Amino acid sequence: MIEKISTEIKSMGNFSDEDLLLFFSKFKKIQLAKGDHFLIEGQISKQIAYIESGLVMYYKISEDTKIPADFGSENDWVTYLKSFSTGLASDMNIVALEETILFALSKSSLEELFEIQPKFLAIKNYYTEISLVKIANHAGNLASLNAKDRYYKFMNEYPNIVNRVPQYYIAAYLGIKPQSLSRLRK
Amino acid sequence: MIEKISTEIKSMGNFSDEDLLLFFSKFKKIQLAKGDHFLIEGQISKQIAYIESGLVMYYKISEDTKIPADFGSENDWVTYLKSFSTGLASDMNIVALEETILFALSKSSLEELFEIQPKFLAIKNYYTEISLVKIANHAGNLASLNAKDRYYKFMNEYPNIVNRVPQYYIAAYLGIKPQSLSRLRK
């Protein structure tokens, strides 16, 4: 984790080893068992975390059904920015689909970092933009591709997730009826 | 424009009038006629702009058809972050659907601002997060709502756009067949 993030951060601009040491000093390890929640609807999202290993799913509940909004796995960051940034209650849940190890920064630690070194904001910016591009692609696929192409694209783009997530969640994420997805998989 | 942005920026943190003067000194006015492009596929996105008045549409071309990815109107910011941030050629077009007045910051001015005052990064962060939340909502609607509910939601959330955008673009944005949309509108 340290090597990967350090390389990424140094590529973003003028960050020294001292900056990185300060940055990493704020992280706390979290271990989630399969089925544990990182965030539950109604709570305020107060942490942002780096996924060392494991798999999480963002979902909303609609008519007693979980509708997945996103997935995160190794080397992704996880938080729910809509709540984290505004301090408003979350309308999203985040659950571990596997045992998951995270390194988490609290909102207060992050604000402290930005206070000491405003250039740390570039790091948040960088990862926020990556999320934005990912979600914009997903929205574009949902609007413009048929079910078959959406599924193929997902398989190609997330080969490390597709066999770890129950198929009915993938179907719901892609806006495909579960029966259609099992036909496609044959 | 100045009043609205100033109020927003001051709400983000510790920004003085001097900071704002520096920020605003970098903006240049751009006027687009209806049909003019702010960004064309293959170009590198080098500007980020605030929409003073008018309406723009982000779109990709697929099989000779324009597939809208997003819209921006008064008080929105417009850029294509995937290209702007990476310096890679854009796979997106941005066109004015009406005469549009923008105040634009070049990438180099923005980088200069971040160099002088890293806390300006908080401004980019703030608006990037707003875009992320908007697009995540759109993706969620596309995956989980039927055509009728997608259209109602769009009408409610973008009352100031719905009658200014040609209906076939709205249909494509919402992943609805144009015939189905005209039925819904009746």
Side-chain angles (χ1 to χ4, degrees), chain A residues 81 85 121 124 129 132 139 142, chain B residues 81 85 124 129 132 139 142:
Chain A
L81 276 178
S85 298
L121 283 158
K124 184 152 174 256
E129 287 179 10
L132 176 62
L142 285 169
Chain B
L81 277 179
S85 298
K124 183 153 175 256
E129 287 179 9
L132 176 62
L142 285 169

Side-chain angles (χ1 to χ4, degrees), chain A residues 60 67 81-82 85 118-119 121-122 124-125 128-129 131-133 135-139 142-144 172-175, chain B residues 60 67 81-82 85 118-119 121-122 124-125 128-129 131-133 135-139 142-144 172-175:
Chain A
K60 293 191 185 185
I67 311 286
L81 276 178
K82 188 172 164 185
S85 298
K119 71 179 176 181
L121 283 158
K124 184 152 174 256
N125 236 320
T128 305
E129 287 179 10
S131 296
L132 176 62
V133 168
I135 292 179
N137 278 339
H138 178 50
L142 285 169
S144 67
Y173 175 71
L174 297 174
Chain B
K60 292 191 186 186
I67 310 286
L81 277 179
K82 187 173 165 184
S85 298
K119 70 178 175 181
L121 283 159
K124 183 153 175 256
N125 237 319
T128 305
E129 287 179 9
S131 296
L132 176 62
V133 169
I135 292 179
N137 278 339
H138 178 50
L142 285 169
S144 66
Y173 175 70
L174 297 175

